[in-house]
Amino acid sequence: MSNEKRAQGAFFQRDRNWHAPAYTPTYKTSVLRSPQKALLSLDNSISEMTGPVFGHNQIGELDNDLILNFSQNGELPVGERIIVHGRVMDERGLPVKGALLELWQANAGGRYRHKKETYLAPLDPNFGGCGRTITDDNGDYHFRTIKPGPYPWPNGVNDWRPAHIHFSVFGDGFAQRLITQMYFEGDPLIWKCPIVQTIPSEEAVRQLIAPLDMGNTIPMDSLAYKFDIVLRGRRSTMFDNRREGN
Amino acid sequence: MTQSLNYFKETPSQTAGPYVHIGCTPNFSGLNGVFSEDLGVKILNDQAEGTRITVRGVVYDGKGAPIKDALVEIWQADAKGLFNSPSEIRGAADPNFSGWGRCPGEMESGEFVFETIKPGVVPFKDGRPMAPHITFWIVARGINIGLHTRMYFPEEIDANAADPILSRIDHKSRVPTLIATQNGSEYRFDIHLQGDNETVFFDI
Ligand SMILES: [Fe+3]
């Protein structure tokens, strides 16, 4: 089999014990939003093995630069300047090229730019909080942004979200579709957060914590954090039962 | 001792939270001037082949309240049953039809709307035809991992009866949760996260 051939096989089964279950009552919103009946388990069909492709022509030049993409009159947002970079790969360690990454986050004070957001921390006139990019041929990506602040949220009486960046990831098959959150090394709020605690194992949570990456910091400019993302891997197609013309 | 399989673990899913629109449909949420346009808004152009249809619905929580912060994505074949995807090896799909749509629920009603075409027939892996269907993926605050399901068409009575996925559902009374209701070119597909009408969701 040639390495150039576009991945086509069915995806590895999802390890549902690694992910959060649907019903997690300490994260209260899940109580009425969690399916209660068993999922219907199926091997992929072509409908899930395929997925759309995103082109660089759909993405603007500053879409991955949150420091500049909402700046007004050339003024910069307040906060710690950081680079977030990493590789999107699959469970076999193969790079996922052309993956669409979309991210959103609060500003340095922990405030989102959204109509329904009511936290008293102020908006930053120069910070929008959204970015997107497409991975290169090695599966690599990078963003530039400011480090988001933690914020309180209505769940328990005194629950706080650790600093985090939300990621939406689109690989090459619809079955790989994933939304997750990236946390920052050393944040004591991570282990107190009811949303983090929906994930059953500490080992799985650690997969969401980006380490400080001094090697990739830009001196006198920006710190760097590395966040690799793993999507479902594909089975080899060698012995898959495909009929002529399928 | 054995060799290691050397597989990595999938990155754990986390809820999309209440502000998924900032990242995925910022222009819809009023965050203008960053992205030129929200992705997935237009599934087809005027030249696309096939029967035009509108698909609407609401995602309901366990108390029957509409969820107003959901994001719904669809993925489907073109009129001939081909996917506009690099992984499609059976032929070239209609270049005027992307097959992928993304819609946030309307902020007051929670309703999502897709302007698309009726998909053709796609073979199951054993070669049997699958009835025409649209693949759905739903995320929202309170949903820890995105939910996969499918919408089927009510007029396809014979094809639905022979569909290899629908026929895998043990409790036949749950099959209608995957079948839209039709009014001309308009289809309604409501999604219920819990309750007697809980939609069949897939581990796929
Ligand atoms: Fe958040």
Side-chain angles (χ1 to χ4, degrees):
Chain A
M1 273 176 46
S2 152
N3 286 332
E4 295 304 305
K5 210 165 131 188
R6 184 83 188 194
Q8 288 153 3
F11 290 99
F12 291 179
Q13 193 189 346
R14 208 161 221 163
D15 182 353
R16 296 268 166 185
N17 296 320
W18 185 250
H19 291 282
Y23 178 75
T24 47
T26 52
Y27 173 28
K28 293 180 181 175
T29 317
S30 76
V31 171
L32 286 174
R33 296 183 172 198
S34 44
Q36 294 176 328
K37 297 185 165 66
L39 301 177
L40 178 65
S41 293
L42 298 163
D43 196 12
N44 302 163
S45 74
I46 300 169
S47 300
E48 296 80 31
M49 283 155 24
T50 52
V53 70
F54 298 94
H56 291 274
N57 59 339
Q58 292 168 283
I59 305 287
E61 211 176 311
L62 292 178
D63 284 5
N64 71 342
D65 188 347
L66 286 76
I67 286 182
L68 292 183
N69 73 17
F70 200 78
S71 126
Q72 312 296 314
N73 311 316
E75 287 176 30
L76 299 176
V78 172
E80 272 179 69
R81 296 161 61 89
I82 60 170
I83 289 162
V84 176
H85 75 102
R87 174 166 295 177
V88 181
M89 59 185 135
D90 71 10
E91 288 165 288
R92 298 166 73 167
L94 301 171
V96 182
K97 311 168 187 182
L100 172 70
L101 296 181
E102 296 160 293
L103 61 75
W104 64 102
Q105 62 167 87
N107 68 24
R111 169 76 187 258
Y112 284 96
R113 186 173 285 280
H114 193 280
K115 288 174 192 144
K116 293 186 177 175
E117 158 76 288
T118 55
Y119 184 33
L120 50 77
L123 282 169
D124 182 330
N126 297 303
F127 191 72
C130 63
R132 60 187 181 185
T133 192
I134 292 177
T135 58
D136 67 18
D137 283 351
N138 296 317
D140 289 337
Y141 75 90
H142 57 272
F143 287 96
R144 186 166 75 149
T145 185
I146 54 96
K147 189 175 176 189
Y151 57 85
W153 59 298
N155 185 62
V157 174
N158 188 23
D159 283 333
W160 289 72
R161 295 304 325 280
H164 62 278
I165 299 178
H166 297 264
F167 275 78
S168 165
V169 192
F170 222 126
D172 44 38
F174 203 62
Q176 283 177 319
R177 202 69 184 81
L178 183 75
I179 281 183
T180 190
Q181 301 183 28
M182 175 196 124
Y183 303 99
F184 293 85
E185 177 183 4
D187 186 343
L189 291 170
I190 293 171
W191 304 102
K192 300 182 193 300
C193 173
I195 287 177
V196 172
Q197 287 166 1
T198 62
I199 296 173
S201 76
E202 186 183 316
E203 193 191 354
V205 171
R206 290 193 185 283
Q207 205 176 344
L208 299 182
I209 305 175
L212 177 67
D213 177 6
M214 285 304 287
N216 275 299
T217 59
I218 302 175
M220 308 303 288
D221 183 329
S222 302
L223 286 170
Y225 286 85
K226 184 174 86 94
F227 186 55
D228 291 337
I229 295 167
V230 181
L231 300 179
R232 293 169 71 181
R234 285 185 192 261
R235 287 206 301 266
S236 147
T237 55
M238 288 177 287
F239 291 96
D240 254 7
N241 223 347
R242 278 176 191 274
R243 288 200 175 174
E244 212 61 41
N246 288 344
Chain B
M1 285 294 283
T2 63
Q3 293 186 8
S4 166
L5 284 169
N6 286 326
Y7 294 143
F8 293 89
K9 296 301 290 183
E10 187 186 8
T11 297
S13 173
Q14 288 261 266
T15 178
Y19 305 127
V20 60
H21 305 141
I22 294 177
C24 292
T25 54
N27 292 296
F28 163 85
S29 77
L31 208 177
N32 299 296
V34 183
F35 298 162
S36 53
E37 67 170 9
D38 294 341
L39 295 172
V41 170
K42 248 177 105 76
I43 306 176
L44 73 175
N45 65 29
D46 292 346
Q47 279 92 57
E49 289 174 44
T51 309
R52 265 57 178 174
I53 62 170
T54 303
V55 175
R56 293 173 189 278
V58 170
V59 183
Y60 291 101
D61 74 9
K63 283 245 183 285
I67 292 183
K68 297 172 184 175
D69 51 38
L71 182 79
V72 178
E73 290 184 359
I74 62 169
W75 173 238
Q76 64 166 96
D78 68 9
K80 293 199 171 86
L82 295 169
F83 287 96
N84 195 337
S85 170
S87 307
E88 172 62 86
I89 54 170
R90 299 169 299 148
D94 181 353
N96 298 306
F97 181 72
S98 79
W100 178 68
R102 170 187 273 173
C103 189
E106 201 273 323
M107 286 209 191
E108 295 309 315
S109 67
E111 188 176 69
F112 58 82
V113 186
F114 294 102
E115 302 293 342
T116 183
I117 55 125
K118 186 172 172 183
V121 170
V122 177
F124 193 50
K125 55 192 176 152
D126 60 8
R128 280 184 291 165
M130 293 192 283
H133 61 273
I134 298 176
T135 296
F136 274 69
W137 186 74
I138 302 119
V139 291
R141 179 170 66 100
I143 296 177
N144 290 329
I145 182 164
L147 300 169
H148 287 273
T149 188
R150 283 185 180 185
M151 178 195 119
Y152 285 84
F153 292 82
E155 68 277 18
E156 298 282 345
I157 296 167
D158 295 341
N160 289 345
D163 181 79
I165 305 290
L166 291 179
S167 53
R168 280 284 306 278
I169 299 172
D170 286 339
H171 298 93
K172 294 303 163 209
S173 62
R174 299 194 65 205
V175 171
T177 68
L178 301 187
I179 300 178
T181 55
Q182 184 184 15
N183 182 2
S185 65
E186 294 247 346
Y187 291 85
R188 179 149 206 101
F189 184 58
D190 289 329
I191 294 164
H192 299 269
L193 299 185
Q194 296 178 352
D196 290 343
N197 292 322
E198 182 178 314
T199 301
V200 175
F201 297 106
F202 299 170
D203 178 18
I204 197 159

